[in-house]
Amino acid sequence: GGGGGGGGGGGGGSGGGGGGGDSPSGGCPQEANLEEPQQFDAMLAARASARKDVVITILGPTSGTRAIKMEEEVGEAFVLNLLSTLASVGVTNTLPITTHLKLPSHPGNNLCLSRLRPRGVCCAYSGVGMGVVHQGAPGRAWTVEETHPYMLFLQRWWLTGQAVWRGYSVLSLDTDLHLSTNPLA
């Protein structure tokens, strides 16, 4: 696997030795916008095992009174650690996803493109629902904005639902986990 520095790895490149001895079918598609059906399909096909198993995790900036504020560096370190841990137990059929805030001036607008891909980590991104919570949009009446934790979870649930509908088995993991055995074995 490719992967980032600092011991993080396993998420990039074509990987090897995926869940239960089943590695991803290969590579990392250049196009990673999961809101585009063809890009979504290509990413799943490349990152899932031959058995169509895929392990996802999510990264995005969060803020607000109900959130654990996670700076980009800390969030990135959590993702890299999880990918490294998974690779160490033989799981490389992984797909970290990040929120796409659709706010070009925000430093955490798209952490897949700005932080993970430059570290060699194969990732994808989604901004499903962001238009509803932009300034002046109806979602603001619910006190929800682009960096609210609910928007992070919306991406995870949407991705999981879409992948399962397409016939994949999905294991969705939080980034603050440390595994000592293969969760797919």
Side-chain angles (χ1 to χ4, degrees), residues 86-121:
L86 286 166
S88 75
V89 296
V91 179
T92 58
N93 48 320
T94 56
L95 180 58
I97 56 171
T98 69
T99 52
H100 181 202
L101 302 179
K102 301 186 179 182
L103 298 171
S105 64
H106 192 285
N109 181 47
N110 187 329
L111 297 174
C112 174
L113 297 182
S114 67
R115 299 203 59 98
L116 296 179
R117 288 234 171 174
R119 300 283 304 252
V121 176

Side-chain angles (χ1 to χ4, degrees), residues 1-182:
S14 61
D22 202 4
S23 63
S25 25
C28 183
Q30 186 64 31
E31 302 295 325
N33 182 354
L34 299 179
E35 294 175 74
E36 297 293 332
Q38 300 83 4
Q39 293 179 34
F40 194 114
D41 291 338
M43 186 61 72
L44 285 175
R47 298 310 303 159
S49 69
R51 294 184 311 223
K52 296 182 88 172
D53 294 331
V54 64
V55 179
I56 66 164
T57 191
I58 189 158
L59 171 65
T62 55
S63 63
T65 58
R66 295 176 286 257
I68 297 172
K69 291 178 180 60
M70 191 175 292
E71 300 297 324
E72 286 83 10
E73 296 81 18
V74 174
E76 178 184 340
F78 272 67
V79 169
L80 294 174
N81 182 63
L82 179 62
L83 294 176
S84 177
T85 300
L86 286 166
S88 75
V89 296
V91 179
T92 58
N93 48 320
T94 56
L95 180 58
I97 56 171
T98 69
T99 52
H100 181 202
L101 302 179
K102 301 186 179 182
L103 298 171
S105 64
H106 192 285
N109 181 47
N110 187 329
L111 297 174
C112 174
L113 297 182
S114 67
R115 299 203 59 98
L116 296 179
R117 288 234 171 174
R119 300 283 304 252
V121 176
C122 184
C123 58
Y125 57 88
S126 170
V128 168
M130 291 299 173
V132 177
V133 297
H134 282 321
Q135 189 63 42
R140 289 292 173 109
W142 309 324
T143 68
V144 175
E145 58 187 41
E146 296 86 357
T147 58
H148 193 286
Y150 294 167
M151 297 308 291
L152 190 70
F153 293 123
L154 174 62
Q155 307 313 309
R156 177 192 300 231
W157 297 329
W158 176 81
L159 174 108
T160 300
Q162 289 291 314
V164 168
W165 182 80
R166 286 168 163 82
Y168 289 84
S169 296
V170 178
L171 175 59
S172 176
L173 297 176
D174 285 340
T175 58
D176 60 349
L177 295 175
H178 183 79
L179 304 169
S180 59
T181 60
N182 182 335

